[in-house]
């Protein structure tokens, strides 16, 4: 009945109010976070299979909130997109990652995650932004990889395609992130010029022990499109064995190294 519905509403009201307030205060804090120096970029190694030699790093944003502590990017990036502060944050991550990587050639490729907001709102600026970050840091374009997810490709395909080609024209490479988690992953492989596909960790985790043949087929599918492939989220030796057996050439995951404020130990070149 209606009464019951109202009763339920009343029951949840205080919780809803609390979550709305929490969100509001988070919004205010997020707008000030950059100026307060609360952001930090962490780097997780990407290794060659099967040697485990470090071939690159992924830049992952961290927010050290003065009161709430560490807030994971999955929690605040969507909010940053919504309230329109993702662009300056992304620009900062990019500049930071390019600068530290430029100073350390031996750390290899540096991967930076792009956000949907960067892609859709001001396309021309994205290309200029990348161009400026490369110029300012002196990072060779060939060492920069930009990671994008399927959801960024949903709207305005022609414009996205033009942007991707312009980015590739700068000499940077493009990776499709979290491959397999969306609805039309295969379709996207045929339509967009990715250099690399990162197979999502949910596949690595379930397929490694349940269906290694599918793990291999995924790799071969991407290779058939002439794309490099990285297995994400490798946590155990057992998963790693399946990744090796399935013919993957690169892997990333806690087994090889967690995201850290510094590049993971890479032998320094002899002087
Ligand atoms: P992602 O791009 O798929 O990044 C990989 C995530 O998986 C990272 O989480 C990483 O810490 C985690 N991970 C790596 N290896 C393993 C493993 O072996 N096991 C498990 N369980 N997890 C592993 P993180 O750092 O919390 O980032 C979450 C997401 O937030 C990222 O997913 C990315 O979508 C987004 N993100 C992070 N930094 C940025 C950024 O600078 N800009 C944008 N736009 N998004 C970012
Ligand atoms: Ca990523
Ligand atoms: Ca991923
Ligand atoms: Ca992700």
């Amino acid at each position: 009945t209606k009464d019951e519905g109202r009763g339920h509403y009343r029951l949840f009201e205080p919780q809803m109010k609390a979550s709305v307030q929490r969100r509001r205060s988070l919004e205010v804090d997020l707008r000030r976070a950059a100026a307060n120096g609360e952001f930090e970029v962490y780097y997780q190694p990407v290794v060659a299979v099967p040697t485990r030699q470090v071939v690159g790093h992924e830049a992952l944003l961290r927010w050290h909130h003065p009161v709430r502590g560490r807030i994971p990017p999955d929690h605040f990036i969507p909010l940053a997109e919504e309230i329109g502060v993702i662009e300056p944050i992304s620009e900062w991550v990019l500049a930071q990652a390019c600068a530290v990587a430029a100073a350390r050639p031996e750390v290899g490729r540096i991967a930076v995650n792009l956000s949907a907001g960067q892609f859709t709102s001001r396309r021309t600026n994205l290309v200029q932004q990348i161009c400026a970050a490369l110029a300012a840091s002196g990072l060779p374009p060939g060492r920069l990889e930009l990671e994008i997810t399927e959801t960024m490709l949903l709207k305005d395909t022609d414009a996205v395609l033009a942007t991707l080609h312009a980015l590739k024209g700068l000499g940077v490479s493009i990776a499709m992130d979290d491959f397999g988690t969306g609805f039309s992953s295969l379709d996207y492989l045929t339509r967009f010029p990715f250099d690399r596909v990162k197979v999502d960790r949910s596949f690595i985790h379930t397929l490694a022990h349940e269906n290694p043949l599918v793990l291999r087929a995924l790799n071969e599918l991407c290779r058939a499109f002439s794309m490099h492939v990285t297995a994400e989220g490798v946590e155990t030796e057992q998963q790693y064995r399946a990744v090796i057996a399935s013919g993957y050439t690169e892997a990333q995951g806690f087994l090889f190294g967690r995201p850290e404020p510094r590049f993971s130990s890479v032998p320094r070149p002899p002087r």
Side-chain angles (χ1 to χ4, degrees):
T1 68
K2 259 188 175 168
D3 278 355
E4 263 178 344
R6 277 210 197 113
H8 280 134
Y9 184 69
R10 239 176 252 130
L11 186 66
F12 286 113
E13 202 172 18
Q15 263 168 279
M16 283 171 55
K17 209 169 157 192
S19 93
V20 167
Q21 274 166 357
R22 187 178 190 281
R23 199 193 125 100
R24 288 239 175 86
S25 81
L26 214 54
E27 255 186 61
V28 172
D29 295 347
L30 191 51
R31 288 183 196 281
R32 284 195 294 237
N36 287 352
E38 292 162 17
F39 290 128
E40 194 176 6
V41 182
Y42 276 35
Y43 300 91
Q44 185 182 31
V46 179
V47 303
V49 175
T51 62
R52 303 191 188 211
Q53 217 164 15
V54 176
V55 292
H57 289 82
E58 178 173 2
L60 294 159
L61 182 59
R62 295 290 178 265
W63 181 11
H64 306 287
H65 190 284
V67 177
R68 296 179 206 270
R70 291 176 181 206
I71 302 179
D74 283 337
H75 285 74
F76 70 84
I77 286 172
L79 179 62
E81 296 235 9
E82 254 182 82
I83 64 174
V85 298
I86 191 70
E87 293 215 29
I89 296 174
S90 304
E91 214 168 330
W92 179 82
V93 172
L94 185 70
Q96 190 76 14
C98 288
V100 294
R104 299 275 308 275
E106 75 280 9
V107 303
R109 197 172 68 228
I110 183 87
V112 176
N113 292 285
L114 294 184
S115 72
Q118 281 177 289
F119 237 80
T120 48
S121 66
R122 296 184 290 162
R123 284 185 320 273
T124 48
N125 278 4
L126 176 61
V127 180
Q128 281 166 8
Q129 206 184 94
I130 306 286
C131 204
L134 289 169
S137 63
L139 183 74
R143 285 184 59 205
L144 180 62
E145 191 156 87
L146 303 171
E147 298 192 358
I148 63 180
T149 57
E150 244 174 62
T151 47
M152 299 177 203
L153 306 172
L154 294 176
K155 283 186 275 184
D156 206 355
T157 302
D158 288 345
V160 167
L161 207 51
T163 305
L164 289 182
H165 282 292
L167 290 172
K168 286 181 66 128
L170 298 177
V172 305
S173 57
I174 313 283
M176 184 192 216
D177 204 358
D178 302 347
F179 180 71
T181 55
F183 292 109
S184 4
S185 302
L186 185 51
D187 184 37
Y188 288 127
L189 285 195
T190 67
R191 286 159 61 198
F192 295 96
F194 299 111
D195 300 285
R196 174 181 310 279
V197 170
K198 299 185 79 174
V199 175
D200 191 71
R201 71 164 175 269
S202 57
F203 282 98
I204 306 303
H205 291 187
T206 53
L207 297 179
H209 64 281
E210 282 168 17
N211 215 333
L213 283 180
V214 177
L215 200 61
R216 166 177 281 277
L218 262 180
N219 178 41
E220 284 170 359
L221 175 76
C222 299
R223 301 274 287 259
F225 287 99
S226 304
M227 293 166 187
H228 298 286
V229 192
T230 303
E232 288 198 283
V234 178
E235 292 177 353
T236 67
E237 292 290 347
Q238 188 205 3
Q239 286 163 1
Y240 188 41
R241 279 195 294 277
V243 163
I244 297 171
S246 305
Y248 287 75
T249 54
E250 285 191 14
Q252 186 178 347
F254 294 167
L255 182 64
F256 317 107
R258 292 188 176 251
E260 305 273 0
R262 270 162 286 284
F263 292 117
S264 72
S265 60
V266 178
R268 286 192 170 276
R271 290 182 182 250

